[in-house]
Amino acid sequence: MKISCAKNELVSALQIVSKAVATKPQTPILSGIYLKAEAGILELQATNYEIGMVCRIPAEIEEPGQIAISGRYFQEVIRKLPGDSVSLSFNREEKIVHIQSNQANFTLLSMNASEFPTIKPMEGNLQFKIKDNVLRSLVKKTVFACSNDESRPVFTGCYLEVADTKVTMAATNTHRLAVKYETFDESIGNIKVIIPSRILQELLHNMTSEIPTDVTVTCTYNQISFAFENLYMTSRLIEGAFPDYHRVIPPEFATVVTLDASEFSSAVDRVSLISRAGDYNIIKLEFANNQVHITSNNPDIGNAEESVAASIEGPELTIAFNAQYIMDVMKNIDSETCQIKLNQPLSPAAVRESDDEEFIYIVTPVRTAH
Amino acid sequence: MKISCAKNELVSALQIVSKAVATKPQTPILSGIYLKAEAGILELQATNYEIGMVCRIPAEIEEPGQIAISGRYFQEVIRKLPGDSVSLSFNREEKIVHIQSNQANFTLLSMNASEFPTIKPMEGNLQFKIKDNVLRSLVKKTVFACSNDESRPVFTGCYLEVADTKVTMAATNTHRLAVKYETFDESIGNIKVIIPSRILQELLHNMTSEIPTDVTVTCTYNQISFAFENLYMTSRLIEGAFPDYHRVIPPEFATVVTLDASEFSSAVDRVSLISRAGDYNIIKLEFANNQVHITSNNPDIGNAEESVAASIEGPELTIAFNAQYIMDVMKNIDSETCQIKLNQPLSPAAVRESDDEEFIYIVTPVRTAH
């Protein structure tokens, strides 16, 4: 293999694929990045068997071929190179890769490329195209609600349900639930899968195009892939049954509160400075007199209180939440105003966005001594 | 106590004094920040008995007084306040501090202010004024060369020697030595002390004025203080004798190499990507044919080489260094060009700045197998 390419494109590609390089590799080859040069394209691959990343960049190819190379050192060396362009060449006898840019010359020991478990495009039971901005919204509004508790795997991913023209994504850690719907113009099939939050976070990170772009999603019984622009990302799916989240969503609410989202969010952030030092991070919300009075109290530190104007329809009430669960949803609300919908102090409440009918967040209150 | 002041000024003052709040306090009061309001000034103090910080800001004082309050929570709360102005008031019966800014109200438990070991202005054996840009240069060009090894305290600080009109600062970890001189117009006395690197780092961080400002330095046998603008910083001194560094500086050098500082620095940074993974971080410098050829080699990773143009006077030679010791000094060179002065492959070398005759750095080479 003998090629040259733009340094900044190689740096970006390495940043993306390096997320799939195994930090504690099951076999040494998984700590490597696989490169294949062919027909004007340099393809980079990395996988830790959980997720896989493929990124393609244009390259001048003098001699096609494939190599595998330690991900960590390759990335560090490329990032520090002095020039705008990088040359890579593989010396088959010495099993080393030469890297050259301006006056700088590096050689890195290579790995055995034939041992690398290369990622092949999946052929799936279901394939559909979705605009990246629509997919971004489905993921962004739900993935934050996943659990980190690996002992209950179904809660560590987002549930994706495709039913004809309706796409739903949902996530819960059993204390709070986020659900986001989207509707398509035509039927795209039927599927129910649980996608690990890890690949969805990477997807959010990499879907950066300024104009809407098609993402091709392909599912099999145990894998999912996302293809867009010069990227191909794949992940195993989580096995198990996602709970019936519909029955968690109360059919109606007695009290509906409308608030300025950013005012409320900042106030909760400040008041929870006191509560977050404790074990449960509990804030109390008192909805009365067309305002919400937010308080927290920690006998070892002090207390905090702040009021935010609110339009309250229905009975007034006082309710307490884990502040983190309120903060998490508020960070993902894009509308200027939001609604908090309530029944009783110990019944699940909802947070809705004024400009997004297709998003709902359910949060379980906490019982407080007072 | 009842006062109000500008939020941003209080935030800045807290950032400064919080550096002296004890992380593992010997007594609980040392985790606090002491505030004294008097005559239009709010004074903040913190100390961990090693270093002490005092910062003064203007305040509207309705009722003078003094309080002590948990450093950690006070700082977090003030930083997050919504308004431009902050009111603080102390409730003596409840022993709490009220903090108010716009709609936000906090109360924090107070500590017993009378227990706080307040910092009083020192009366010293020696006091002199020095411009902050001169002091900055003395500190910046030496403090990086200190050791972190607490088992040999004299090497963890900078040696300050004042002898009539000459001020010298020096630091060494026994493998490398940095010395910086300054000359005053008139005699400022005589003193030899070792100042902990910690307070000098804070001093560098806080000397941010754009126009030259006077810093008043006061020394006693075991303490030093720096006073400038609205700040007063104090530190214990390190006991012990600083080694006679003069005899480490070779009187003459056989080879003098002149280099572009930033080219050389970047090349060393890149080449050491390979060596820094090893135990000794060794780079080899080959001075010949009017260039320096920099190489490193790690059998488990690969190797790196790069050449930088150099003007060489005297015999050519090859020498090896700990790359970190070269990187450290290069980061603190402000001139466009630098000199490397050499005798033999195993004799100490010097790094000098072209535009600063009053700085010298001595570094011991390492022996390599090849």
Side-chain angles (χ1 to χ4, degrees), chain A residues 301-358:
Chain A
I301 302 168
N303 58 55
E305 60 95 4
E306 187 160 347
S307 292
V308 172
S311 142
I312 302 171
E313 292 166 53
E316 300 184 336
L317 86 163
T318 299
I319 191 168
F321 293 109
N322 178 329
Q324 193 60 52
Y325 294 164
I326 302 296
M327 305 270 289
D328 286 347
V329 66
M330 294 312 296
K331 272 181 214 152
N332 289 288
I333 286 212
D334 303 313
S335 308
E336 269 185 41
T337 58
C338 64
Q339 272 91 43
I340 300 179
K341 300 190 174 192
L342 306 147
N343 283 314
Q344 297 292 325
L346 295 176
S347 314
V351 179
R352 307 285 307 245
E353 273 203 63
S354 297
D355 303 340
D356 186 354
E357 286 285 309
E358 296 179 313

Side-chain angles (χ1 to χ4, degrees), chain A residues 28-67:
Chain A
I29 190 72
L30 296 186
S31 68
I33 289 174
Y34 169 87
L35 284 82
K36 187 169 90 179
E38 199 176 65
I41 296 290
L42 177 66
E43 181 173 289
L44 294 91
Q45 294 198 358
T47 180
N48 57 11
Y49 286 143
E50 282 279 307
I51 64 172
M53 299 275 201
V54 180
C55 189
R56 294 181 191 87
I57 59 170
E60 274 184 45
I61 296 172
E62 202 171 308
E63 190 189 308
Q66 42 206 308
I67 58 172

Side-chain angles (χ1 to χ4, degrees), chain A residues 183-234:
Chain A
T183 312
F184 283 80
D185 294 336
E186 52 190 53
S187 172
I188 53 170
N190 287 276
I191 203 158
K192 293 174 181 178
V193 293
I194 307 173
I195 309 169
S197 63
R198 174 79 202 283
I199 192 78
L200 295 172
Q201 298 282 12
E202 291 302 328
L203 190 64
L204 272 190
H205 195 71
N206 290 327
M207 287 192 299
T208 54
S209 74
E210 285 177 17
I211 48 165
T213 304
D214 274 333
V215 179
T216 303
V217 184
T218 309
C219 284
T220 67
Y221 72 100
N222 69 351
Q223 277 209 301
I224 192 163
S225 74
F226 302 91
F228 55 102
E229 295 178 323
N230 60 342
L231 273 183
Y232 183 80
M233 302 168 57
T234 174

Side-chain angles (χ1 to χ4, degrees), chain B residues 253-320:
Chain B
F253 293 94
T255 303
V256 176
V257 183
T258 305
L259 288 154
D260 180 291
S262 87
E263 265 185 36
F264 178 61
S265 178
S266 308
V268 170
D269 185 29
R270 275 190 288 276
V271 171
S272 69
L273 272 179
I274 299 297
S275 51
R276 78 178 66 141
D279 291 339
Y280 301 105
N281 196 4
I282 295 167
I283 52 165
K284 204 158 74 176
L285 305 181
E286 193 181 339
F287 295 95
N289 305 318
N290 277 326
Q291 61 176 22
V292 49
H293 186 227
I294 312 159
T295 54
S296 72
N297 177 41
N298 182 320
D300 297 330
I301 302 168
N303 58 55
E305 61 95 4
E306 187 160 346
S307 292
V308 172
S311 142
I312 302 172
E313 292 165 53
E316 299 184 338
L317 86 163
T318 299
I319 190 167

Side-chain angles (χ1 to χ4, degrees), chain B residues 12-21 33 44-46 53-55:
Chain B
S12 306
L14 281 169
Q15 268 170 356
I16 293 168
V17 300
S18 66
K19 297 294 175 61
V21 172
I33 289 174
L44 294 91
Q45 294 198 358
M53 299 274 200
V54 181
C55 188

Side-chain angles (χ1 to χ4, degrees), chain A residues 80-101:
Chain A
K80 290 241 180 178
L81 289 177
D84 293 334
S85 141
V86 183
S87 301
L88 301 177
S89 64
F90 178 53
N91 181 316
R92 200 176 299 270
E93 276 105 67
E94 295 183 64
K95 293 185 178 159
I96 55 176
V97 181
H98 284 274
I99 302 165
Q100 187 260 321
S101 181

